[in-house]
Amino acid sequence: MLLAGAYSVFLESFKEVPSLSLSDLVKKINAGEVKSISINGDDLNVTLGDESAFIAKKESESSLLQTLSNYGVSKEALDKVAINIDSPSGLVFWLSAILPFLLPFLLIVLFFWLAARQVQRSNVQAFTFGQSRARVVQPDSKKERVTFKDVAGVKEAKEELQEIVEFLRSPRKFLDIGARIPKGVLLMGAPGTGKTLLARAVAGEAGVPFFHMSGSEFVEMFVGVGASRVRDLFKMAKRSAPAIIFIDEIDAVGRHRGAGMGGGHDEREQTLNQILVEMDGFEQQESVIVMAGTNRPDVLDPALLRPGRFDRRVILDNPDINDREAILKLHAQKKPLEKEVDLRVIAERTPGFSGADLANLMNEAAIVAARDNRKTIEQLDLFRSIEKVLLGPERKSHILSTAEKKISAYHEAGHALVAAILPNADPVHKTTIVSRGRAAGYTLKLPSEDRHLYSRKNFLDELAAALGGYASEKLVFGELTTGSSDDIKKATLIARDLVTRYGMSEKIGPITLGERDELVFLGKELGVEKNYSEATAQLVDSEVAHIMRNAFKRANDVLKKYRKVLDSLASHLIKNETIEREEFDSILATFGLAQVIGKQAEAV
């Protein structure tokens, strides 16, 4: 089709030339109108004096001069005509003769060659399907190389991994003394604590290739592909030794074998078996170390965790206040900050944040500044980013009616007042009725310092603060709304954990009720074994209800005693919609409650 189209265009590019009979040509020559004649075989290209062109045919048996003489052309008239003979080249002649037959044949050959090449590529892909898809970071890659300087916090983890770095740099020092360096290092920690970043930092410090692959990339729909990719991955690492293999989210293939319903998967188990075999097959001089990351170490197969495989286990916790400040400074290096920005204050307001949360916080602050057409980041931008990371973006379009606004104001004021009065509750940093995320309003309570142990008094005060909104609605309006549903749900879970997990119930005592079995693909309720009688279950329900009723009573008593403070906080919220910590403290101080704040600070 392309050739036919090109041929038609080629033909249309030529102008149609009129033909001239031989007798008319003779007349024009005798009349002196012909300027030149070009002979091409039997074809005559005639050009007249006015530059018009014609084509004519001569007799094939005789020459042009003889033909013209036979037709009565005088010699004088013929002398005035320029006669040219065009002899076509041999190449043009042969091409015009062969191409019409050769070109379709070449097109057919080209088609079959392309088809065969596609089939060959498919065969190659089929053979390479079982090869490793690992991403390799070379030690000389400046853009992708990460060192311990790029990882803030996790001091203990970096000290633990420094031995791995020393072994990869100079393995002979350890082998000569008979030391056996761990073949596997398991990084365990919550999501966002920096497991992958720390593994890359180990490879960057040691200056060795880093092979990164996710656990889910081993398992495919075809049988044996996972085990084949494991073999190919370890073969690549051995050729590049010393090297580091990092398997992210190893629980995707390393789950406990034979875990029951949904836990058995033949392909996954073959992949896990191949990983175990490859780790056992390591020689001391190979200098290949396997690192793996997971946030679910409890579901891993015991064969992975025995000595000789993942010998070293490094735990990465959420950063404390000093580590959070260091992480914030690290992420603030390429961001212009105002001089009054105090990252220590931001670190104090972000307990429980992971490294990924802090990175997201700094990024959100930069986005807010850019959206406001500012060149620097202010402290207020960071405060707003904390709330955005915790609760989601503001929903200013979510407008409440006058009645709903009043109910929401008293609800949040109840939370804040109960939390401020009770000595073991976390201090209030902000309360607002501006919708953010899924919450119509919220009270932001943050501890003054990192806390690792919680007492029964802490839990009881937090339960009372959680039910402060519920008690406030019932006290002021005499009826309840659906706004307290999430508070009641969370408070009930805490109360049940007090009874069944923490042994803080006086009637039941120090007993853990209900063992949590990790059954794959089952819901949480189905994964909890009920190992107690119906009588104990009734007692548990009774204790949970007692704790909840007692928390409600404490919250209600506080609100009744300080009803004027509650009304003042609610009116401020209705008018201004938001109360920051400084304004909140000043409102309490006007009612002589400054000493309660002092007690609270001492308790926290």
Side-chain angles (χ1 to χ4, degrees), residues 94-110:
W94 285 108
L95 285 178
S96 61
I98 295 176
L99 277 182
F101 303 99
L102 183 62
L103 202 56
F105 177 75
L106 292 178
L107 284 175
I108 294 173
V109 171
L110 178 63

Side-chain angles (χ1 to χ4, degrees), residues 61-243:
E61 294 84 1
S62 59
S63 63
L64 177 62
L65 295 177
Q66 185 178 358
T67 301
L68 294 177
S69 298
N70 294 336
Y71 274 85
V73 176
S74 63
K75 185 178 179 183
E76 292 79 8
L78 194 60
D79 290 339
K80 297 178 181 179
V81 178
I83 300 176
N84 302 315
I85 300 175
D86 296 333
S87 58
S89 63
L91 178 62
V92 174
F93 173 77
W94 285 108
L95 285 178
S96 61
I98 295 176
L99 277 182
F101 303 99
L102 183 62
L103 202 56
F105 177 75
L106 292 178
L107 284 175
I108 294 173
V109 171
L110 178 63
F111 172 77
F112 280 104
W113 178 75
L114 290 174
R117 185 182 178 188
Q118 189 69 24
V119 172
Q120 184 180 7
R121 183 182 301 173
S122 301
N123 292 333
V124 171
Q125 288 179 352
F127 283 111
T128 60
F129 192 72
Q131 292 184 0
S132 171
R133 308 290 178 88
R135 293 166 292 281
V136 185
V137 179
Q138 296 296 339
D140 54 352
S141 177
K142 295 182 180 180
K143 291 184 178 180
E144 298 181 341
R145 185 182 179 186
V146 179
T147 62
F148 283 157
K149 294 181 180 179
D150 302 315
V151 184
V154 292
K155 298 177 183 177
E156 293 82 4
K158 287 193 283 189
E159 291 175 0
E160 190 78 11
L161 294 173
Q162 189 63 38
E163 297 178 7
I164 307 299
V165 174
E166 291 294 328
F167 172 73
L168 292 172
R169 285 178 177 173
S170 54
R172 182 55 55 188
K173 179 175 67 172
F174 293 88
L175 297 176
D176 289 343
I177 203 172
R180 183 179 64 84
I181 295 299
K183 298 177 183 178
V185 180
L186 184 63
L187 303 177
M188 303 182 299
T193 50
K195 298 182 291 294
T196 304
L197 184 65
L198 195 58
R200 292 183 61 180
V202 173
E205 287 286 333
V208 297
F210 179 75
F211 295 85
H212 178 210
M213 196 166 179
S214 174
S216 60
E217 295 182 59
F218 289 109
V219 182
E220 293 280 357
M221 63 179 293
F222 301 106
V223 178
V225 172
S228 174
R229 289 181 178 177
V230 170
R231 289 191 294 269
D232 189 64
L233 173 63
F234 279 83
K235 187 185 300 181
M236 290 169 56
K238 290 175 183 178
R239 285 199 300 262
S240 304

Side-chain angles (χ1 to χ4, degrees), residues 132-352:
S132 171
R133 308 290 178 88
R135 293 166 292 281
V136 185
V137 179
Q138 296 296 339
D140 54 352
S141 177
K142 295 182 180 180
K143 291 184 178 180
E144 298 181 341
R145 185 182 179 186
V146 179
T147 62
F148 283 157
K149 294 181 180 179
D150 302 315
V151 184
V154 292
K155 298 177 183 177
E156 293 82 4
K158 287 193 283 189
E159 291 175 0
E160 190 78 11
L161 294 173
Q162 189 63 38
E163 297 178 7
I164 307 299
V165 174
E166 291 294 328
F167 172 73
L168 292 172
R169 285 178 177 173
S170 54
R172 182 55 55 188
K173 179 175 67 172
F174 293 88
L175 297 176
D176 289 343
I177 203 172
R180 183 179 64 84
I181 295 299
K183 298 177 183 178
V185 180
L186 184 63
L187 303 177
M188 303 182 299
T193 50
K195 298 182 291 294
T196 304
L197 184 65
L198 195 58
R200 292 183 61 180
V202 173
E205 287 286 333
V208 297
F210 179 75
F211 295 85
H212 178 210
M213 196 166 179
S214 174
S216 60
E217 295 182 59
F218 289 109
V219 182
E220 293 280 357
M221 63 179 293
F222 301 106
V223 178
V225 172
S228 174
R229 289 181 178 177
V230 170
R231 289 191 294 269
D232 189 64
L233 173 63
F234 279 83
K235 187 185 300 181
M236 290 169 56
K238 290 175 183 178
R239 285 199 300 262
S240 304
I244 288 179
I245 296 175
F246 180 65
I247 304 175
D248 200 4
E249 305 295 345
I250 195 173
D251 51 275
V253 292
R255 285 180 176 268
H256 198 295
R257 290 171 289 185
M261 186 185 302
H265 189 289
D266 220 23
E267 173 64 11
R268 181 182 56 78
E269 292 188 1
Q270 288 185 22
T271 306
L272 175 59
N273 291 336
Q274 189 63 45
I275 293 176
L276 300 178
V277 170
E278 291 290 344
M279 294 186 70
D280 286 339
F282 274 8
E283 300 295 337
Q284 290 291 337
Q285 61 271 17
E286 284 179 351
S287 302
V288 176
I289 292 178
V290 183
M291 301 183 71
T294 181
N295 50 22
R296 297 291 306 280
D298 51 324
V299 301
L300 294 180
D301 194 276
L304 270 175
L305 305 178
R306 74 156 177 83
R309 285 168 182 160
F310 283 99
D311 305 285
R312 193 69 57 91
R313 302 174 196 176
V314 180
I315 299 176
L316 302 178
D317 294 321
N318 284 330
D320 57 18
I321 183 169
N322 296 321
D323 290 342
R324 290 198 298 272
E325 185 180 6
I327 294 172
L328 288 170
K329 289 181 178 178
L330 182 67
H331 290 293
Q333 287 180 355
K334 297 182 179 180
K335 296 178 175 63
L337 303 178
E338 289 285 350
K339 293 182 179 180
E340 69 271 9
V341 171
D342 189 356
L343 295 179
R344 182 73 180 185
V345 175
I346 305 301
E348 292 174 354
R349 286 202 175 193
T350 52

